[in-house]
Amino acid sequence: MSAKSNTYSRAFWVSNTVEMFERMAYYAIFIVITLYLSNTLGFNDFEASMISGVFSGALYLLPLFTGAYADKIGFRKSLLLAFTLLTLGYLGLGVLPTFLQSCGLVEYGEHTQFSGLPDSSLRWLIVPIMVILVVGGAFIKSTISASVAKETTSENRARAYSIFYMTVNIGSFTGKSIIDPLRHAIGEHAYIAINYFSAAMTFIALVAVFFLYRSAQTAGEGKSMREVGRGLVRVFSNGRLVALILIVTGFWIVQQQLYATMPKYVIRMAGEAARPGWIANVNPFVVVVCVGFVTRLMAKRSAITSITIGMFLIPLSALLMACGNLFESELIGGLSNVTLMMIVGIVCQGLAECFISPRYLEYFSLQAPKGEEGLYLGFSHLDSFLSSILGFGISGILLTKYCPDPALFDSHEAWQAASANAHYIWYYFAAIGMVSALLLLLFAYLTRERAQKN
């Protein structure tokens, strides 16, 4: 590989840096989003899961359209718009509880005391705030990953996406690290305070883009809306890409449980002392440590081969998580089996992500015509849209059935009886992961046969 192929532009490094700040902001919030909705705003488990799922799903659906529009107006303008909206949105998440408290509907502190909020329509003010966050986040999703494609060549792109994915997970790890110390210091008020941290991170990113982001790669900018529409039709009619998206959705349904199911599951099964933020941090830690090695290991293998290996790791991760509820004894240091096996399962999940995500983005970037990187990389996030809607919806149903809220029961014994089979939740997700892995084998076989015939 030539020296030139190892050199990346300033726009590439600025894109990666601001993505790290955006991920810090996002994951600091998202790791406790269902807890924020339930403990701060008074939504029940199913409502909180569905709101979170729609929020996350829309965040991954809109990039298809924002990506196409970003190709038209340019990535710098798109990033400035995105970080402005995100800063306003995170501030809104922090200010809304203050407004609700001033209305006499709730009292916040170490423990939240509701006085009418669960029955008030004012809690639905969360919707316009989340709309602002969704639009801002959708521009980020398409623009940053597409910027990596614009600023690289096919020769150095796999390594570039490995670097990109490492910075994503550094941000993810840092963001998740904030919440547990904050929660143990100030209790449930942490779910409000953390929003101001996220607003600060996206404001820093906004300033960085304004002063530092410049790109010489301007292909596609200034195209007409008719040309944008034609691009959308073309990418939607690509049956091979649509099939791959649908299959990889199974992986992300299981991966979404890191946020949809795990926080409530470990707190209810392992006790209030459990630290879901730290447990979730195992995933980005594994990715940061291993993604470069995995990329080098699979350098001579096709993207589909790498993705297939990861797909078979994901059902195994769910089965490992289920094992935590099969033993009652505590381990040395008071670490419960629920926590231990959750960590082991998340390690396996992180390894799966190393094999799948960077090569998945690379695969889509290589299909993109010049000037349509935003469109194609935005399209690649459609699997996360589907998995958010399905993953959070399934989570709400399964938590209600197998691991319900202890506050709904008159005694601890009654709750224990109702949650005796809580680990069944993970069997459902293991089955989803295995079906997806088998479908990917079929996809690889059919696409290989087609390539040989052509």
Side-chain angles (χ1 to χ4, degrees):
M1 187 178 290
S2 67
K4 185 177 180 180
S5 68
N6 280 317
T7 303
Y8 299 110
S9 67
R10 186 173 78 168
F12 170 84
W13 292 114
V14 173
S15 294
N16 278 273
T17 302
V18 297
E19 172 72 351
M20 182 175 66
F21 282 109
E22 189 275 331
R23 292 290 84 186
M24 286 184 198
Y26 176 77
Y27 281 109
I29 300 302
F30 201 61
I31 187 60
V32 291
I33 187 64
T34 57
L35 292 168
Y36 173 85
L37 291 167
S38 295
N39 295 24
T40 303
L41 300 185
F43 292 100
N44 64 36
D45 278 349
F46 183 74
E47 290 170 336
S49 291
M50 289 309 298
I51 293 170
S52 302
V54 171
F55 165 66
S56 180
L59 193 60
Y60 289 102
L61 174 63
L62 283 184
L64 174 60
F65 305 101
T66 57
Y69 193 64
D71 286 332
K72 172 180 169 56
I73 67 173
F75 285 7
R76 185 173 185 273
K77 290 180 181 178
S78 298
L79 290 172
L80 290 172
L81 173 62
F83 284 119
T84 299
L85 291 174
L86 288 173
T87 302
L88 293 174
Y90 287 129
L91 283 174
L93 289 180
V95 170
L96 176 61
T98 303
F99 168 73
L100 296 174
Q101 183 169 260
S102 70
C103 294
L105 296 170
V106 61
E107 186 68 34
Y108 295 112
E110 187 174 351
H111 298 287
T112 302
Q113 300 294 324
F114 294 118
S115 51
L117 182 57
D119 299 316
S120 173
S121 60
L122 287 177
R123 62 184 178 153
W124 291 100
L125 288 171
I126 188 67
V127 173
I129 295 172
M130 284 194 160
V131 168
I132 293 171
L133 287 170
V134 162
V135 176
F139 272 101
I140 293 294
K141 286 292 177 191
S142 54
T143 305
I144 298 290
S145 55
S147 180
V148 174
K150 271 185 176 288
E151 301 297 329
T152 58
T153 65
S154 58
E155 184 181 10
N156 64 7
R157 193 161 298 170
R159 179 171 174 266
Y161 274 113
S162 176
I163 294 170
F164 164 76
Y165 216 70
M166 184 162 36
T167 59
V168 164
N169 282 275
I170 290 172
S172 171
F173 182 90
T174 307
K176 292 171 189 172
S177 297
I178 304 296
I179 187 60
D180 277 332
L182 195 61
R183 188 168 69 92
H184 284 276
I186 60 176
E188 293 182 348
H189 193 70
Y191 305 141
I192 301 171
I194 195 67
N195 296 288
Y196 295 107
F197 164 81
S198 294
M201 294 303 100
T202 52
F203 181 73
I204 291 171
L206 173 63
V207 173
V209 171
F210 184 82
F211 286 105
L212 300 176
Y213 186 87
R214 297 288 188 280
S215 175
Q217 308 300 323
T218 59
E221 294 182 18
K223 65 177 66 171
S224 69
M225 291 306 297
R226 177 175 292 183
E227 290 173 311
V228 171
R230 287 173 181 167
L232 286 168
V233 171
R234 187 165 54 252
V235 74
F236 262 113
S237 62
N238 190 320
R240 180 161 48 93
L241 295 183
V242 170
L244 182 59
I245 284 171
L246 294 175
I247 292 168
V248 176
T249 294
F251 160 73
W252 283 109
I253 286 176
V254 182
Q255 191 78 331
Q256 291 285 9
Q257 302 319 305
L258 203 60
Y259 314 102
T261 299
M262 186 277 290
K264 288 182 176 179
Y265 182 86
V266 295
I267 288 175
R268 292 172 185 177
M269 300 303 297
E272 287 291 330
R275 299 188 174 187
W278 283 112
I279 295 171
N281 251 344
V282 172
N283 178 276
F285 177 79
V286 170
V287 173
V288 170
V289 171
C290 298
V291 69
F293 170 76
V294 170
T295 300
R296 289 192 298 272
L297 179 68
M298 302 302 294
K300 296 183 179 180
R301 302 287 184 178
S302 70
I304 295 298
T305 299
S306 182
I307 294 170
T308 302
I309 293 172
M311 291 294 284
F312 275 96
L313 286 173
I314 205 66
L316 174 61
S317 73
L319 290 175
L320 290 169
M321 292 173 185
C323 292
N325 198 35
L326 300 180
F327 309 98
E328 295 183 359
S329 61
E330 286 195 348
L331 303 175
I332 296 174
L335 182 68
S336 70
N337 281 292
V338 168
T339 300
L340 174 64
M341 295 313 298
M342 186 62 64
I343 290 171
V344 174
I346 292 172
V347 168
C348 187
Q349 212 174 69
L351 288 172
E353 198 168 342
C354 290
F355 281 97
I356 295 172
S357 292
R359 300 304 300 275
Y360 177 80
L361 292 173
E362 177 202 358
Y363 186 86
F364 271 80
S365 74
L366 293 174
Q367 315 306 312
K370 199 70 174 174
E372 293 189 358
E373 292 88 352
L375 170 60
Y376 275 72
L377 270 298
F379 186 63
S380 74
H381 291 296
L382 199 57
D383 61 342
S384 295
F385 158 69
L386 296 170
S387 67
S388 295
I389 299 296
L390 295 172
F392 276 83
I394 294 170
S395 171
I397 294 169
L398 295 179
L399 280 170
T400 302
K401 182 176 177 62
Y402 294 110
C403 189
D405 188 345
L408 300 175
F409 295 83
D410 295 330
S411 67
H412 183 67
E413 291 71 22
W415 172 79
Q416 282 184 313
S419 60
N421 295 320
H423 58 289
Y424 283 14
I425 292 172
W426 303 109
Y427 293 154
Y428 285 86
F429 292 116
I432 290 170
M434 181 55 70
V435 170
S436 300
L438 293 174
L439 286 174
L440 186 61
L441 279 181
L442 178 62
F443 173 87
Y445 171 76
L446 293 176
T447 52
R448 186 166 57 247
E449 286 288 302
R450 181 181 175 185
Q452 290 173 351
K453 287 180 182 179
N454 290 336

